[in-house]
Amino acid sequence: MKVVTRPGQRRGVEVHEFASATASSDDLATLRRHIYHDKIVVLKSQTLDSADFVALGAEFGTPVPYYEPMYHHPDSEFVFVSSNVHRETGRIGVPKTGAFWHCDYQFMPTPFAVTLFYPQQLPTASRGTYFIDMADAYRRLTPQLREAITDTFCWHSARRYVKIRPTDVFRPLAEVIADVERITPAQRWPSVLIHPITGERVLYLSEAFTYAIEHASGQPLPESLLSQILAECGQLDEHCAHDNIFLQSYEPGDLVLWDNRTLVHRALHNPGNEATESWRVTVLDDHPLSAQEPT
Ligand SMILES: [Fe+2]
C-alpha cells in the first residue's frame, strides 16, 4: 500500500495498491488515521462488489443501513444507491441525491462518523463532490462570530430535503409531512463540536439541515446569526466559488472515504441525463459525535 499526498489538492491523501482482501491491520490503522487527520482518503483502482464494499466499511466502524429502504441496494441494505440507471429489472436507488450542503445523518440521533463513497458508473463530465472543512471554517470565522456562537446549539431536520417515496403518491401532503416529523424528529447538537479524535473545534451546521440556533439555555437566537455563519463558511455561495470550497472529482475505480464530522459535502451532478450510479456505505465509530459534554 502506497499513501501519497495529492499535488494541487486542498485536502486528503491518495492510496495506491490497496486491496481490502489482503490489507494488513497496520494498513487499516494507517487509513483510519488518515481519514480523521487528512479528512479525505481516495483509494485508487478498486474493484469491489457490494458485499466487499460493506466489509471494507466495517473496517472503519459499524455500517448502518439508511433508514429509508428505497435507497437500498437489492443485494445489501447497507449500500445506499444514488442512480438514474434503468435496468431491465427496473430502477434501483434514487437519482441525483445530496445536491445540497450537509453531513450524512446530521438530522438523526446518531450522525455517521465516516462515509465511504464508491462511484460505479460515471458520466463523461461533472460528477464530483464539493467539500468544506468545517474545522478550517471555524478557525476562519471572525472573532466576533466565534464569540457569538459560544455555548450555542443548532437544530437540524431533514424536512426540506426528504424525497417523496413512490408509496406517498396520492397521500395528502400534511400526512407526509407529519410522517417526516415523527420518523425523523429534529435533533439538537452543539454549534461547535470538539472532534473526539483530532480535538479540533468543528462548526457543525449545514445549509440543508440546520434551521435554528439557540443559546445553551434554550433561548432562541436570531436566524440572521445562522445565515451569517453559513455565509462566512461558504455554504450560501450558489456558484461554489467560495475560498473554503474544494471539489473532489472521480476517476473509475476511485473509492473515497471522508470524516463526516468535519466535512460538509454537496454532490455535483451532471446536468444532463447520462447514466450515473454511486454506492455509499456509512459507519459509526466508537466515539461520541463530540467530545464536548452536553449541557
Ligand atoms: Fe451525503
Side-chain angles (χ1 to χ4, degrees):
M1 183 177 91
K2 255 184 8 203
V3 180
V4 296
T5 51
R6 306 185 301 160
Q9 295 282 344
R10 295 267 294 275
R11 282 286 171 288
V13 295
E14 199 168 280
V15 180
H16 298 260
E17 297 163 32
F18 172 83
S20 56
T22 56
S24 69
S25 52
D26 277 358
D27 288 343
L28 292 164
T30 299
L31 292 184
R32 275 181 219 114
R33 204 169 53 246
H34 282 297
I35 292 167
Y36 291 120
H37 292 276
D38 294 293
K39 321 286 170 69
I40 295 180
V41 172
V42 183
L43 304 180
K44 302 298 288 184
S45 311
Q46 297 298 298
T47 54
L48 307 181
D49 64 19
S50 57
D52 298 333
F53 185 33
V54 176
L56 176 65
E59 299 292 353
F60 304 100
T62 305
V64 178
Y66 198 71
Y67 77 102
E68 185 57 73
M70 70 177 171
Y71 292 87
H72 294 174
H73 190 287
D75 296 335
S76 174
E77 63 177 354
F78 295 102
V79 177
F80 171 110
V81 179
S82 174
S83 173
N84 64 0
V85 177
H86 292 275
R87 295 169 163 78
E88 280 180 15
T89 48
R91 171 193 287 288
I92 69 166
V94 174
K96 295 199 172 177
T97 62
F100 41 77
W101 288 111
H102 66 287
C103 300
D104 292 330
Y105 257 28
Q106 192 171 33
F107 56 86
M108 281 292 206
T110 51
F112 302 126
V114 175
T115 296
L116 297 90
F117 184 76
Y118 188 24
Q120 299 294 299
Q121 192 167 343
L122 289 165
T124 48
S126 300
R127 180 65 177 101
T129 309
Y130 290 110
F131 288 99
I132 297 173
D133 181 328
M134 295 296 278
D136 266 359
Y138 176 75
R139 286 189 285 268
R140 290 176 180 179
L141 284 184
T142 60
Q144 292 82 355
L145 265 188
R146 276 206 299 272
E147 174 66 28
I149 57 168
T150 302
D151 293 328
T152 67
F153 284 70
C154 284
W155 283 97
H156 311 268
S157 167
R159 63 175 73 103
R160 285 172 52 220
Y161 285 97
V162 168
K163 300 269 197 313
I164 299 297
R165 300 166 297 189
T167 49
D168 292 325
V169 173
F170 306 127
R171 294 184 67 208
L173 195 52
E175 270 184 26
V176 176
I177 291 169
D179 273 3
V180 170
E181 300 302 330
R182 180 178 54 80
I183 296 167
T184 51
Q187 302 295 318
R188 183 185 189 251
W189 300 117
S191 308
V192 182
L193 307 182
I194 308 290
H195 195 293
I197 293 141
T198 65
E200 283 185 302
R201 287 177 183 272
V202 179
L203 262 181
Y204 197 65
L205 46 98
S206 68
E207 192 279 326
F209 296 148
T210 311
Y211 67 93
I213 185 164
E214 65 185 31
H215 189 262
S217 65
Q219 187 192 348
L221 292 166
E223 216 178 300
S224 57
L225 176 60
L226 187 55
S227 308
Q228 213 181 333
I229 302 165
L230 288 169
E232 278 217 16
C233 68
Q235 294 187 42
L236 299 187
D237 180 354
E238 270 312 303
H239 303 291
C240 289
H242 189 284
D243 198 41
N244 282 350
I245 300 174
F246 56 99
L247 176 65
Q248 173 68 48
S249 51
Y250 302 113
E251 289 178 355
D254 285 354
L255 192 162
V256 180
L257 305 93
W258 69 77
D259 176 349
N260 187 56
R261 287 184 180 89
T262 309
L263 300 182
V264 286
H265 61 282
R266 169 180 172 155
L268 167 66
H269 291 291
N270 184 298
N273 286 323
E274 275 187 86
T276 177
E277 180 166 314
S278 302
W279 295 354
R280 185 187 93 179
V281 167
T282 38
V283 305
L284 296 170
D285 61 17
D286 294 332
H287 301 275
L289 177 66
S290 174
Q292 190 172 345
E293 289 300 317
T295 56

